[in-house]
Amino acid sequence: MTSAFTINPDHPALPGHFPGNPVVPGVVVLEHLIDALALAHPGRACTGVRRMKFLRLLRPGETVDVSFGEAKADGIAVKASVAGEPLIDGRLVLAPA
């Protein structure tokens, strides 16, 4: 299943990251990935991050396309991109179903 999200330029975590050259902090991206997981796989909860590789910077206002692999007992693969350019390659840990 796929979904998408955009971090608004007025997000409260952005001031200071970095003045004149805004970058979305990784923890904000991760929060949105977990929210997307809850929509894509209702009833499954993320309990941790097994691996998360950020492949590029995310700028406020860019749309992130997210896709999840098959949910397995030990976790789920997640990939995200911006305009077709890879942003994230990772794996989230899931609570038992």
Side-chain angles (χ1 to χ4, degrees), residues 44-97:
R44 298 303 302 265
C46 177
T47 59
V49 176
R50 181 154 333 274
R51 177 180 54 80
M52 192 65 52
K53 186 168 186 173
F54 289 79
L55 304 169
R56 74 184 285 279
L57 296 175
L58 179 63
R59 305 285 181 188
E62 292 184 310
T63 298
V64 178
D65 296 308
V66 181
S67 63
F68 295 99
E70 181 182 343
K72 299 187 178 186
D74 66 337
I76 190 166
V78 59
K79 292 187 182 288
S81 62
V82 174
E85 186 178 344
L87 171 68
I88 287 175
D89 183 15
R91 186 161 188 84
L92 300 173
V93 180
L94 297 177

Side-chain angles (χ1 to χ4, degrees), residues 5-6 10 12-15 27 29 35 41 45 49 51 59 79 89 93:
F5 64 85
T6 303
D10 63 350
L14 294 178
V27 67
V29 177
D35 290 345
H41 294 276
V49 176
R51 177 180 54 80
R59 305 285 181 188
K79 292 187 182 288
D89 183 15
V93 180

Side-chain angles (χ1 to χ4, degrees), residues 8-28:
N8 291 325
D10 63 350
H11 189 283
L14 294 178
H17 287 92
F18 294 92
N21 188 22
V23 175
V24 178
V27 67
V28 174

